[in-house]
Amino acid sequence: MGIFGRKSDTETATATIAAVNPELAALTGDYTIDASHSSLGFVARHAMVTNVKGKFLDFNGTLHLDGTDPSRSTASLDVTMESIDTGSADRDGHLKSADFFKTDEFPTMTFRSTGAEALGGDDYRITGDLSILGVTKPLTIDLEFNGSAKDPFGNERVGFEGKAEILRSEWGLTWNAALETGGVLVSDKIKLNFDISAIKNA
């Protein structure tokens, strides 16, 4: 069962809408991301030899899922940059400073979807605009739809797992330090990981 669809032409779109799976259509609606059961993480290469993992603890977002015309589904996300957590207070402080995220001046990172396509099965590709440090660049996220369920409290939930890669320098995150053995302290490529649970609004 999928959320986002891909239409190659008008005829395909008409056929898709006419043959909507009732279970898929039932998911249509607005959803709020449940941050307490979701995670937004990242991985950076450190000193060329190991990975440093981190996450953001404070974020909120919404989804609009259209089960009868999945291409109209949308997503938005707002992340509080002060909530960054890598397990090291000193490192977190450096990341919040003017060398990196300048959280005093740019307190929020945002994502706004602009489109989606089906890749087959439960795999999808979401495109959108990612804004960091006042710079907005396109971002592509590969997602897996984990399904839908009603929890013990009566909430209708949907779940997604996603991943993406960015070059941080494209958003102005250029601080680094050279290593005596060659290379740099922090990789330019950053891996992003998403695990999202969202509740259908009443």
Side-chain angles (χ1 to χ4, degrees):
M1 178 171 60
I3 293 295
F4 301 97
R6 177 169 53 191
K7 301 188 292 289
S8 59
D9 52 38
T10 302
E11 182 178 355
T12 301
T14 301
T16 300
I17 294 171
V20 168
N21 184 321
E23 295 182 19
L24 178 59
L27 297 179
T28 296
D30 295 317
Y31 293 75
T32 299
I33 291 176
D34 178 8
S36 64
H37 293 96
S38 302
S39 63
L40 301 178
F42 61 89
V43 180
R45 198 77 169 162
H46 181 262
M48 310 294 291
V49 297
T50 190
N51 290 321
V52 169
K53 298 180 180 180
K55 58 187 175 180
F56 294 96
L57 302 178
D58 185 8
F59 56 89
N60 62 83
T62 59
L63 308 174
H64 174 73
L65 304 182
D66 190 327
T68 59
D69 187 359
S71 66
R72 295 184 180 180
S73 298
T74 60
S76 67
L77 184 67
D78 295 86
V79 181
T80 301
M81 301 307 286
E82 277 284 338
S83 72
I84 196 167
D85 178 14
T86 65
S88 166
D90 287 343
R91 181 166 54 224
D92 294 344
H94 190 199
L95 290 171
K96 296 174 188 179
S97 75
D99 284 341
F100 286 95
F101 290 116
K102 305 178 184 179
T103 57
D104 288 342
E105 185 177 357
F106 302 99
T108 307
M109 173 174 63
T110 65
F111 175 77
R112 300 291 183 265
S113 67
T114 57
E117 61 177 321
L119 302 179
D122 290 325
D123 296 327
Y124 302 89
R125 180 162 292 151
I126 309 304
T127 56
D129 294 325
L130 178 67
S131 297
I132 308 173
L133 295 177
V135 177
T136 300
K137 296 281 187 179
L139 175 68
T140 298
I141 304 172
D142 287 331
L143 285 175
E144 180 180 359
F145 176 53
N146 288 337
S148 62
K150 180 177 287 188
D151 68 23
F153 306 100
N155 297 310
E156 297 284 353
R157 290 180 178 269
V158 293
F160 301 88
E161 291 181 63
K163 60 184 179 180
E165 291 185 354
I166 65 171
L167 297 178
R168 62 187 179 90
S169 59
E170 294 184 352
W171 279 266
L173 294 162
T174 56
W175 184 91
N176 226 322
L179 302 176
E180 290 185 7
T181 53
V184 292
L185 185 64
V186 184
S187 62
D188 191 21
K189 182 171 72 174
I190 306 296
K191 297 178 181 179
L192 307 178
N193 301 299
F194 308 86
D195 198 343
I196 301 296
S197 178
I199 297 173
K200 193 173 187 178
N201 297 347

